[in-house]
Amino acid sequence: MRSAAVTPEGDQIRWVELPGREPERVYLHGLGATSPAYFTSVAVDPRLSGHRSLFLDLLGHGISDRPTHFDYTLESHADALANALTAAGVSAAELIAHSMGGSVAIVLAARHPHLVSRLVLIDANLDPIPRAPGSSGSSGIAAYSEEEFVTGGGWEEVRERVGAHWWSTMRLAGREALHRSAFHLTRGSDPTMRELLLELKIPRTFLLPESDGPLPGADVLAEAGVSVVAIPGCGHNIMLDNPEAFVAATAAALAPRG
């Protein structure tokens, strides 16, 4: 395990690292998750292995610190991540990022372009989403006030809704971190993640479950050079539900270009 201080207060982002060649590959988890648990099994597949790989946990999640003074906006997550990558000696990395992690990765690429050479986004949030009381995802968490979620029973209600798999990593997140991250994810960035993605000039691939149907705005994304790839036989956690198809699509997205 490695770590770097990423805030003026000294809060630490931590990651698990595998050695290998450049360019580095950085794996980013979604809301309430942790990167080693979600990505290690696919990253060691021979089609993806061999690169220096960082399985990094965002502030508030997994093995990283859970500061209560941090605001957990997408922009602040991205800036903290930039500090961690800089401390790790990483530049021009290939980011493989799931859900909220994909949103953070887009903001990172826009704010710190020297750190990112390619993006593989896994069912990432591109637009603000309405808050929905009773939902088990970010929209349900964000429907609570922070006080309701942290001390008023919201955390326990979400625990009952999300199921054992997600809860196994969600329980590692700080309560304030989880709520603020969800709230700011539903709010989105300004410009939106979709608008930022359209303006990026690096190779970009967006993976989504085939069962979700066409990605809204896929034609505009394609015109801007974003490769949109539907993956069969999976839900939101594509890398866990269909690892074979995930590895094949990701390896194709990261293949050297002549």
Side-chain angles (χ1 to χ4, degrees):
M1 182 175 66
R2 304 191 182 188
S3 64
V6 297
T7 68
E9 296 79 9
D11 303 295
Q12 302 272 321
I13 275 181
R14 298 183 179 86
W15 64 93
V16 174
E17 183 170 324
L18 298 177
R21 64 185 182 274
E22 295 181 346
E24 292 92 348
R25 290 181 175 168
V26 176
Y27 292 85
L28 286 180
H29 59 83
L31 180 71
T34 174
S35 290
Y38 275 69
F39 285 111
T40 302
S41 62
V42 290
V44 298
D45 186 284
R47 289 166 289 180
L48 293 180
S49 63
H51 288 256
R52 182 187 178 198
S53 299
L54 288 74
F55 303 88
L56 189 145
D57 283 347
L58 297 169
L59 276 182
H61 291 73
I63 57 176
S64 292
D65 285 349
R66 303 185 291 255
T68 58
H69 61 82
F70 193 71
D71 62 16
Y72 296 97
T73 65
L74 293 174
E75 293 82 3
S76 293
H77 270 307
D79 290 347
L81 173 58
N83 289 339
L85 296 179
T86 299
V90 172
S91 63
E94 299 173 337
L95 266 68
I96 301 96
H98 180 227
S99 196
M100 183 187 79
S103 304
V104 173
I106 293 168
V107 176
L108 175 74
R111 291 169 71 90
H112 306 276
H114 66 288
L115 293 176
V116 184
S117 62
R118 296 194 191 201
L119 286 176
V120 177
L121 305 171
I122 308 155
D123 209 17
N125 302 71
L126 298 183
D127 307 295
I129 55 177
R131 292 157 204 153
S135 168
S136 61
S138 58
S139 59
I141 295 172
Y144 296 97
S145 70
E146 183 171 317
E147 182 179 1
E148 289 170 339
F149 183 76
V150 173
T151 62
W155 185 79
E156 289 82 2
E157 292 173 3
V158 169
R159 178 186 63 196
E160 298 305 312
R161 290 201 296 264
V162 299
H165 175 83
W166 195 3
W167 187 251
S168 68
T169 59
M170 187 181 285
R171 65 187 177 183
L172 303 176
R175 296 190 189 188
E176 294 87 355
L178 190 60
H179 182 269
R180 293 176 198 171
S181 293
F183 178 86
H184 290 295
L185 180 61
T186 61
R187 188 199 68 170
S189 58
D190 183 17
T192 67
M193 298 82 78
R194 182 183 296 270
E195 291 168 326
L196 294 174
L197 181 62
L198 288 170
E199 293 299 317
L200 295 175
K201 304 306 179 186
I202 57 176
R204 295 146 293 160
T205 299
F206 190 102
L207 309 182
L208 76 157
E210 186 177 72
S211 59
D212 284 359
L215 179 69
D219 53 343
V220 177
L221 291 170
E223 289 173 6
V226 181
S227 177
V228 178
V229 181
I231 305 297
C234 65
H236 181 56
N237 297 322
I238 297 173
M239 73 295 282
L240 301 178
D241 296 340
N242 192 342
E244 170 61 31
F246 171 82
V247 168
T250 302
L254 298 178
R257 300 190 178 188

